């Protein structure tokens, strides 16, 4: 057992020390938590991804109390990562934070020095120049997409790949061309045979739809988030109506499915806007 009394503070430095102390206790080889002691960075990453999604949910709900709680969970996972790397002898959390401070000061000469940059575009261009000329982060000459994160969610990665290719001219001349490509890929799915070919063709459909989103200046994840929200809203309303009528979803006929679904669409129309 570890004796510890939390002393809450309005001082940010003390608050971070409290959280890091707690993480240190959790990872204590003798008296720490059996689950926390077993965690490695790959485990924490999965946990932190979940916490970030929960933070985003709370943010979308505009629930500040929940937002604060989920952001705290993100910090806890970050500190756990730092502690694990420290215990493994990879690096100290202080080294990590000091390096980050140096890097972000270096990459903002328009804030911390007298360089004049007026627009966001100029800032981003200078950011890339600093990475290459000062930090020596050279491009991979054999990989045009070298700077696109390999482990990003595939929908986001697809959007970035498409966007980067379009920037150098690999682009449709008009919107109709993009529509035609989507329809072409759907037709190829219809004639696909075997699991691999079906996966390949469905992948092409998804890629072409992401291209369509980009061409129409819509983030695909935003469009999909909207579709998911709308489907959940409608399905839950339908579920509620079915229960109200003393029925179960599993018992519905094809005609009843259509009737209840159309009813739910009408009832949720205002909520979807």
């Amino acid at each position: 057992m570890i004796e510890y009394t939390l002393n809450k503070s309005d001082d940010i430095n003390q608050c971070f020390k409290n959280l890091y102390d707690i993480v240190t206790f959790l990872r204590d080889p003798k008296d720490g938590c059996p689950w926390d002691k077993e965690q490695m960075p790959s485990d924490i990453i999965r946990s932190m991804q979940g916490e970030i999604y929960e933070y985003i949910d709370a943010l979308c709900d505009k629930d500040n109390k929940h937002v604060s709680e989920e952001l705290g969970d993100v910090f806890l996972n970050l500190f756990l990562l730092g502690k694990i790397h420290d215990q493994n002898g990879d690096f100290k959390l202080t080294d990590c934070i000091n390096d980050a401070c140096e890097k972000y000061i270096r990459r903002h000469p328009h804030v911390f020095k007298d360089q004049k940059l007026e627009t966001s575009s100029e800032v981003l261009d200078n950011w890339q120049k600093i990475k290459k000329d000062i930090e020596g982060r050279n491009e991979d000459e054999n990989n045009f997409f070298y700077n696109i994160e390999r482990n990003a969610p595939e929908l986001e990665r697809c959007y970035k790949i498409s966007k980067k290719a379009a920037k150098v001219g690999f682009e449709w001349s008009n919107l109709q061309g993009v529509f035609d490509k989507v329809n072409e890929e759907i037709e190829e799915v219809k004639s696909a045979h075997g699991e691999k070919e079906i996966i390949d063709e469905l992948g092409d459909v998804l890629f072409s739809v992401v291209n369509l989103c980009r061409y129409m200046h819509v983030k695909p994840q935003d469009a999909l988030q909207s579709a998911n929200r709308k489907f959940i809203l409608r399905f839950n309303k339908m579920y509620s109506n079915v229960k109200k009528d003393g029925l179960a979803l599993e018992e519905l006929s094809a005609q009843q499915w259509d009737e209840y679904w159309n009813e739910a669409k009408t009832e949720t129309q205002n909520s979807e806007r």
Side-chain angles (χ1 to χ4, degrees), residues 71-94:
L71 187 57
D73 290 341
V74 172
F75 275 116
L76 177 69
N77 279 273
L78 286 171
F79 278 26
L80 267 171
L81 281 172
K83 188 63 183 179
I84 293 168
H85 283 297
D86 190 350
Q87 289 178 320
N88 289 347
D90 302 329
F91 53 81
K92 293 184 179 300
L93 182 57
T94 50

PDB file of all heavy atoms in Angstrom, residues 71-94:
ATOM      1  N   LEU A  71     -10.172  15.204 -21.165  1.00  0.00           N
ATOM      2  CA  LEU A  71      -8.851  15.786 -21.407  1.00  0.00           C
ATOM      3  C   LEU A  71      -7.881  15.354 -20.307  1.00  0.00           C
ATOM      4  O   LEU A  71      -6.700  15.089 -20.565  1.00  0.00           O
ATOM      5  CB  LEU A  71      -8.950  17.314 -21.472  1.00  0.00           C
ATOM      6  CG  LEU A  71      -7.678  18.055 -21.888  1.00  0.00           C
ATOM      7  CD1 LEU A  71      -7.177  17.578 -23.231  1.00  0.00           C
ATOM      8  CD2 LEU A  71      -7.929  19.557 -21.911  1.00  0.00           C
ATOM      9  N   GLY A  72      -8.387  15.254 -19.076  1.00  0.00           N
ATOM     10  CA  GLY A  72      -7.556  14.738 -17.984  1.00  0.00           C
ATOM     11  C   GLY A  72      -7.102  13.317 -18.244  1.00  0.00           C
ATOM     12  O   GLY A  72      -5.952  12.949 -17.949  1.00  0.00           O
ATOM     13  N   ASP A  73      -7.987  12.494 -18.820  1.00  0.00           N
ATOM     14  CA  ASP A  73      -7.608  11.119 -19.155  1.00  0.00           C
ATOM     15  C   ASP A  73      -6.527  11.080 -20.229  1.00  0.00           C
ATOM     16  O   ASP A  73      -5.644  10.217 -20.215  1.00  0.00           O
ATOM     17  CB  ASP A  73      -8.841  10.338 -19.638  1.00  0.00           C
ATOM     18  CG  ASP A  73      -9.825  10.055 -18.514  1.00  0.00           C
ATOM     19  OD1 ASP A  73      -9.415  10.120 -17.338  1.00  0.00           O
ATOM     20  OD2 ASP A  73     -11.002   9.772 -18.809  1.00  0.00           O
ATOM     21  N   VAL A  74      -6.595  12.029 -21.173  1.00  0.00           N
ATOM     22  CA  VAL A  74      -5.559  12.111 -22.207  1.00  0.00           C
ATOM     23  C   VAL A  74      -4.213  12.441 -21.567  1.00  0.00           C
ATOM     24  O   VAL A  74      -3.188  11.826 -21.880  1.00  0.00           O
ATOM     25  CB  VAL A  74      -5.935  13.162 -23.272  1.00  0.00           C
ATOM     26  CG1 VAL A  74      -4.764  13.380 -24.239  1.00  0.00           C
ATOM     27  CG2 VAL A  74      -7.175  12.731 -24.046  1.00  0.00           C
ATOM     28  N   PHE A  75      -4.207  13.417 -20.652  1.00  0.00           N
ATOM     29  CA  PHE A  75      -2.969  13.770 -19.947  1.00  0.00           C
ATOM     30  C   PHE A  75      -2.420  12.579 -19.165  1.00  0.00           C
ATOM     31  O   PHE A  75      -1.213  12.340 -19.143  1.00  0.00           O
ATOM     32  CB  PHE A  75      -3.206  14.944 -18.999  1.00  0.00           C
ATOM     33  CG  PHE A  75      -3.093  16.295 -19.651  1.00  0.00           C
ATOM     34  CD1 PHE A  75      -4.186  17.144 -19.731  1.00  0.00           C
ATOM     35  CD2 PHE A  75      -1.890  16.723 -20.184  1.00  0.00           C
ATOM     36  CE1 PHE A  75      -4.087  18.387 -20.326  1.00  0.00           C
ATOM     37  CE2 PHE A  75      -1.768  17.962 -20.782  1.00  0.00           C
ATOM     38  CZ  PHE A  75      -2.880  18.798 -20.858  1.00  0.00           C
ATOM     39  N   LEU A  76      -3.303  11.840 -18.506  1.00  0.00           N
ATOM     40  CA  LEU A  76      -2.856  10.674 -17.747  1.00  0.00           C
ATOM     41  C   LEU A  76      -2.144   9.678 -18.649  1.00  0.00           C
ATOM     42  O   LEU A  76      -1.071   9.156 -18.311  1.00  0.00           O
ATOM     43  CB  LEU A  76      -4.045  10.004 -17.068  1.00  0.00           C
ATOM     44  CG  LEU A  76      -3.714   8.720 -16.290  1.00  0.00           C
ATOM     45  CD1 LEU A  76      -2.899   9.055 -15.052  1.00  0.00           C
ATOM     46  CD2 LEU A  76      -4.976   7.963 -15.912  1.00  0.00           C
ATOM     47  N   ASN A  77      -2.715   9.417 -19.822  1.00  0.00           N
ATOM     48  CA  ASN A  77      -2.090   8.481 -20.758  1.00  0.00           C
ATOM     49  C   ASN A  77      -0.762   9.004 -21.281  1.00  0.00           C
ATOM     50  O   ASN A  77       0.187   8.234 -21.459  1.00  0.00           O
ATOM     51  CB  ASN A  77      -3.046   8.188 -21.918  1.00  0.00           C
ATOM     52  CG  ASN A  77      -4.088   7.147 -21.566  1.00  0.00           C
ATOM     53  OD1 ASN A  77      -3.851   5.952 -21.713  1.00  0.00           O
ATOM     54  ND2 ASN A  77      -5.234   7.589 -21.097  1.00  0.00           N
ATOM     55  N   LEU A  78      -0.679  10.311 -21.517  1.00  0.00           N
ATOM     56  CA  LEU A  78       0.591  10.903 -21.950  1.00  0.00           C
ATOM     57  C   LEU A  78       1.668  10.732 -20.892  1.00  0.00           C
ATOM     58  O   LEU A  78       2.815  10.382 -21.188  1.00  0.00           O
ATOM     59  CB  LEU A  78       0.392  12.390 -22.265  1.00  0.00           C
ATOM     60  CG  LEU A  78      -0.342  12.729 -23.562  1.00  0.00           C
ATOM     61  CD1 LEU A  78      -0.652  14.218 -23.616  1.00  0.00           C
ATOM     62  CD2 LEU A  78       0.488  12.321 -24.771  1.00  0.00           C
ATOM     63  N   PHE A  79       1.287  10.985 -19.644  1.00  0.00           N
ATOM     64  CA  PHE A  79       2.255  10.849 -18.552  1.00  0.00           C
ATOM     65  C   PHE A  79       2.646   9.388 -18.353  1.00  0.00           C
ATOM     66  O   PHE A  79       3.802   9.086 -18.030  1.00  0.00           O
ATOM     67  CB  PHE A  79       1.677  11.430 -17.265  1.00  0.00           C
ATOM     68  CG  PHE A  79       1.822  12.931 -17.168  1.00  0.00           C
ATOM     69  CD1 PHE A  79       1.903  13.710 -18.307  1.00  0.00           C
ATOM     70  CD2 PHE A  79       1.891  13.561 -15.933  1.00  0.00           C
ATOM     71  CE1 PHE A  79       2.047  15.082 -18.221  1.00  0.00           C
ATOM     72  CE2 PHE A  79       2.043  14.940 -15.840  1.00  0.00           C
ATOM     73  CZ  PHE A  79       2.114  15.705 -16.991  1.00  0.00           C
ATOM     74  N   LEU A  80       1.692   8.476 -18.541  1.00  0.00           N
ATOM     75  CA  LEU A  80       2.024   7.051 -18.464  1.00  0.00           C
ATOM     76  C   LEU A  80       3.041   6.679 -19.531  1.00  0.00           C
ATOM     77  O   LEU A  80       4.009   5.951 -19.262  1.00  0.00           O
ATOM     78  CB  LEU A  80       0.754   6.208 -18.636  1.00  0.00           C
ATOM     79  CG  LEU A  80       0.016   5.800 -17.367  1.00  0.00           C
ATOM     80  CD1 LEU A  80      -1.327   5.170 -17.714  1.00  0.00           C
ATOM     81  CD2 LEU A  80       0.857   4.841 -16.523  1.00  0.00           C
ATOM     82  N   LEU A  81       2.842   7.193 -20.743  1.00  0.00           N
ATOM     83  CA  LEU A  81       3.814   6.933 -21.811  1.00  0.00           C
ATOM     84  C   LEU A  81       5.193   7.444 -21.421  1.00  0.00           C
ATOM     85  O   LEU A  81       6.207   6.756 -21.606  1.00  0.00           O
ATOM     86  CB  LEU A  81       3.358   7.606 -23.111  1.00  0.00           C
ATOM     87  CG  LEU A  81       2.280   6.892 -23.921  1.00  0.00           C
ATOM     88  CD1 LEU A  81       1.806   7.783 -25.065  1.00  0.00           C
ATOM     89  CD2 LEU A  81       2.801   5.570 -24.472  1.00  0.00           C
ATOM     90  N   GLY A  82       5.231   8.679 -20.899  1.00  0.00           N
ATOM     91  CA  GLY A  82       6.510   9.248 -20.485  1.00  0.00           C
ATOM     92  C   GLY A  82       7.173   8.417 -19.405  1.00  0.00           C
ATOM     93  O   GLY A  82       8.390   8.181 -19.441  1.00  0.00           O
ATOM     94  N   LYS A  83       6.402   7.956 -18.423  1.00  0.00           N
ATOM     95  CA  LYS A  83       6.953   7.152 -17.332  1.00  0.00           C
ATOM     96  C   LYS A  83       7.478   5.815 -17.835  1.00  0.00           C
ATOM     97  O   LYS A  83       8.547   5.349 -17.418  1.00  0.00           O
ATOM     98  CB  LYS A  83       5.869   6.918 -16.271  1.00  0.00           C
ATOM     99  CG  LYS A  83       6.403   6.254 -15.005  1.00  0.00           C
ATOM    100  CD  LYS A  83       7.416   7.145 -14.323  1.00  0.00           C
ATOM    101  CE  LYS A  83       8.030   6.505 -13.105  1.00  0.00           C
ATOM    102  NZ  LYS A  83       9.031   7.388 -12.464  1.00  0.00           N
ATOM    103  N   ILE A  84       6.742   5.179 -18.736  1.00  0.00           N
ATOM    104  CA  ILE A  84       7.172   3.883 -19.267  1.00  0.00           C
ATOM    105  C   ILE A  84       8.489   4.024 -20.020  1.00  0.00           C
ATOM    106  O   ILE A  84       9.415   3.229 -19.838  1.00  0.00           O
ATOM    107  CB  ILE A  84       6.080   3.291 -20.183  1.00  0.00           C
ATOM    108  CG1 ILE A  84       4.839   2.923 -19.363  1.00  0.00           C
ATOM    109  CG2 ILE A  84       6.598   2.062 -20.918  1.00  0.00           C
ATOM    110  CD1 ILE A  84       3.626   2.597 -20.205  1.00  0.00           C
ATOM    111  N   HIS A  85       8.592   5.048 -20.867  1.00  0.00           N
ATOM    112  CA  HIS A  85       9.845   5.259 -21.608  1.00  0.00           C
ATOM    113  C   HIS A  85      10.998   5.554 -20.653  1.00  0.00           C
ATOM    114  O   HIS A  85      12.138   5.109 -20.885  1.00  0.00           O
ATOM    115  CB  HIS A  85       9.675   6.393 -22.615  1.00  0.00           C
ATOM    116  CG  HIS A  85       8.922   6.009 -23.850  1.00  0.00           C
ATOM    117  ND1 HIS A  85       9.374   5.051 -24.733  1.00  0.00           N
ATOM    118  CD2 HIS A  85       7.731   6.450 -24.348  1.00  0.00           C
ATOM    119  CE1 HIS A  85       8.515   4.918 -25.731  1.00  0.00           C
ATOM    120  NE2 HIS A  85       7.507   5.745 -25.516  1.00  0.00           N
ATOM    121  N   ASP A  86      10.713   6.296 -19.596  1.00  0.00           N
ATOM    122  CA  ASP A  86      11.735   6.597 -18.579  1.00  0.00           C
ATOM    123  C   ASP A  86      12.195   5.306 -17.914  1.00  0.00           C
ATOM    124  O   ASP A  86      13.405   5.035 -17.802  1.00  0.00           O
ATOM    125  CB  ASP A  86      11.149   7.558 -17.554  1.00  0.00           C
ATOM    126  CG  ASP A  86      12.212   8.114 -16.602  1.00  0.00           C
ATOM    127  OD1 ASP A  86      13.358   7.613 -16.613  1.00  0.00           O
ATOM    128  OD2 ASP A  86      11.894   9.044 -15.842  1.00  0.00           O
ATOM    129  N   GLN A  87      11.254   4.473 -17.487  1.00  0.00           N
ATOM    130  CA  GLN A  87      11.599   3.216 -16.820  1.00  0.00           C
ATOM    131  C   GLN A  87      12.336   2.256 -17.750  1.00  0.00           C
ATOM    132  O   GLN A  87      13.185   1.486 -17.315  1.00  0.00           O
ATOM    133  CB  GLN A  87      10.332   2.538 -16.276  1.00  0.00           C
ATOM    134  CG  GLN A  87       9.728   3.265 -15.079  1.00  0.00           C
ATOM    135  CD  GLN A  87       8.444   2.611 -14.591  1.00  0.00           C
ATOM    136  OE1 GLN A  87       7.614   2.172 -15.398  1.00  0.00           O
ATOM    137  NE2 GLN A  87       8.270   2.530 -13.285  1.00  0.00           N
ATOM    138  N   ASN A  88      12.011   2.322 -19.036  1.00  0.00           N
ATOM    139  CA  ASN A  88      12.684   1.446 -20.005  1.00  0.00           C
ATOM    140  C   ASN A  88      14.061   1.959 -20.399  1.00  0.00           C
ATOM    141  O   ASN A  88      14.800   1.285 -21.126  1.00  0.00           O
ATOM    142  CB  ASN A  88      11.833   1.303 -21.270  1.00  0.00           C
ATOM    143  CG  ASN A  88      10.588   0.479 -21.033  1.00  0.00           C
ATOM    144  OD1 ASN A  88      10.459  -0.188 -20.014  1.00  0.00           O
ATOM    145  ND2 ASN A  88       9.663   0.514 -21.987  1.00  0.00           N
ATOM    146  N   GLY A  89      14.400   3.165 -19.932  1.00  0.00           N
ATOM    147  CA  GLY A  89      15.703   3.739 -20.268  1.00  0.00           C
ATOM    148  C   GLY A  89      15.751   4.347 -21.656  1.00  0.00           C
ATOM    149  O   GLY A  89      16.844   4.605 -22.185  1.00  0.00           O
ATOM    150  N   ASP A  90      14.580   4.589 -22.277  1.00  0.00           N
ATOM    151  CA  ASP A  90      14.560   5.161 -23.630  1.00  0.00           C
ATOM    152  C   ASP A  90      14.910   6.648 -23.594  1.00  0.00           C
ATOM    153  O   ASP A  90      15.758   7.118 -24.344  1.00  0.00           O
ATOM    154  CB  ASP A  90      13.166   4.975 -24.254  1.00  0.00           C
ATOM    155  CG  ASP A  90      12.746   3.521 -24.317  1.00  0.00           C
ATOM    156  OD1 ASP A  90      13.634   2.662 -24.460  1.00  0.00           O
ATOM    157  OD2 ASP A  90      11.530   3.242 -24.215  1.00  0.00           O
ATOM    158  N   PHE A  91      14.227   7.383 -22.747  1.00  0.00           N
ATOM    159  CA  PHE A  91      14.486   8.811 -22.539  1.00  0.00           C
ATOM    160  C   PHE A  91      13.659   9.258 -21.347  1.00  0.00           C
ATOM    161  O   PHE A  91      12.722   8.574 -20.927  1.00  0.00           O
ATOM    162  CB  PHE A  91      14.117   9.643 -23.782  1.00  0.00           C
ATOM    163  CG  PHE A  91      12.711   9.417 -24.272  1.00  0.00           C
ATOM    164  CD1 PHE A  91      11.626  10.054 -23.683  1.00  0.00           C
ATOM    165  CD2 PHE A  91      12.467   8.559 -25.337  1.00  0.00           C
ATOM    166  CE1 PHE A  91      10.335   9.841 -24.125  1.00  0.00           C
ATOM    167  CE2 PHE A  91      11.178   8.338 -25.792  1.00  0.00           C
ATOM    168  CZ  PHE A  91      10.111   8.981 -25.188  1.00  0.00           C
ATOM    169  N   LYS A  92      14.002  10.425 -20.780  1.00  0.00           N
ATOM    170  CA  LYS A  92      13.247  10.988 -19.663  1.00  0.00           C
ATOM    171  C   LYS A  92      12.144  11.895 -20.208  1.00  0.00           C
ATOM    172  O   LYS A  92      12.299  12.504 -21.272  1.00  0.00           O
ATOM    173  CB  LYS A  92      14.164  11.779 -18.735  1.00  0.00           C
ATOM    174  CG  LYS A  92      15.181  10.922 -17.989  1.00  0.00           C
ATOM    175  CD  LYS A  92      15.977  11.776 -17.028  1.00  0.00           C
ATOM    176  CE  LYS A  92      16.974  10.922 -16.249  1.00  0.00           C
ATOM    177  NZ  LYS A  92      16.306   9.868 -15.460  1.00  0.00           N
ATOM    178  N   LEU A  93      11.050  11.979 -19.472  1.00  0.00           N
ATOM    179  CA  LEU A  93       9.961  12.852 -19.882  1.00  0.00           C
ATOM    180  C   LEU A  93      10.431  14.300 -19.956  1.00  0.00           C
ATOM    181  O   LEU A  93      10.003  15.062 -20.831  1.00  0.00           O
ATOM    182  CB  LEU A  93       8.787  12.725 -18.911  1.00  0.00           C
ATOM    183  CG  LEU A  93       7.538  13.553 -19.233  1.00  0.00           C
ATOM    184  CD1 LEU A  93       7.009  13.229 -20.629  1.00  0.00           C
ATOM    185  CD2 LEU A  93       6.446  13.341 -18.196  1.00  0.00           C
ATOM    186  N   THR A  94      11.333  14.676 -19.066  1.00  0.00           N
ATOM    187  CA  THR A  94      11.872  16.052 -19.104  1.00  0.00           C
ATOM    188  C   THR A  94      12.621  16.300 -20.406  1.00  0.00           C
ATOM    189  O   THR A  94      12.549  17.396 -20.975  1.00  0.00           O
ATOM    190  CB  THR A  94      12.810  16.295 -17.911  1.00  0.00           C
ATOM    191  OG1 THR A  94      13.766  15.223 -17.823  1.00  0.00           O
ATOM    192  CG2 THR A  94      12.030  16.392 -16.615  1.00  0.00           C
TER     193      THR A  94
END
